[in-house]
Amino acid sequence: MNFFSHYDYWVMLFLAMSGLFIVIARGNLIKKLVGLAILQTSVYLLYLAPGKIVGGTAPIVDAAFTVYSNPLPQVLILTAIVVGVATLALGLALVVRIREEYGTIEEDEILRLDADPADPLSGPPEAQR
């Protein structure tokens, strides 16, 4: 078995580990969302890699073709891409709202502001008005 015979799985593994590292190691919320998007891309590749059959054609019944590719992985990935884009858009909208409320998008600063009782921003929104 050759290393390059399954290069698509190695790319998927690299993307998954990179995305997971970014999500875990970074405190910036935008960087966390980018890491999540990279991790989602690796899952797309994981589903698409075995979906292509060498010599297979689209599943159109004809006497000239005997080997067909399954279109289900492509359909599932198109759906996953739409869900991923919607999730990313919602995450970005939440980051904008968090930035308006706390003045930062760094996770450690947000946690510090929530934990500090002397800070006027740490109380409930009704007490700030």
Side-chain angles (χ1 to χ4, degrees):
M1 183 160 94
N2 190 1
F3 174 79
F4 293 108
S5 64
H6 298 292
Y7 69 91
D8 47 354
Y9 293 110
W10 289 106
V11 170
M12 185 277 312
L13 185 65
F14 174 75
L15 285 175
M17 292 299 109
S18 300
L20 188 62
F21 175 76
I22 292 170
V23 169
I24 292 173
R26 301 293 182 237
N28 188 317
L29 296 178
I30 299 290
K31 291 179 182 177
K32 284 183 180 283
L33 287 174
V34 169
L36 184 65
I38 293 171
L39 187 62
Q40 286 176 344
T41 302
S42 72
V43 173
Y44 303 158
L45 290 176
L46 177 67
Y47 275 94
L48 286 177
K52 175 62 180 145
I53 297 175
V54 177
T57 184
I60 300 171
V61 179
D62 189 7
F65 303 114
T66 58
V67 179
Y68 299 104
S69 292
N70 188 0
L72 188 61
Q74 286 85 4
V75 172
L76 290 174
I77 295 309
L78 284 174
T79 305
I81 289 171
V82 170
V83 171
V85 168
T87 303
L88 186 62
L90 177 65
L92 289 171
L94 288 173
V95 168
V96 167
R97 182 66 184 106
I98 288 170
R99 171 76 164 92
E100 289 173 355
E101 186 69 26
Y102 290 98
T104 184
I105 57 171
E106 295 294 329
E107 184 180 18
D108 55 349
E109 293 178 22
I110 294 169
L111 292 173
R112 183 186 54 80
L113 288 172
D114 273 345
D116 188 10
D119 191 6
L121 290 178
S122 66
E126 296 83 27
Q128 295 175 13
R129 295 183 183 148

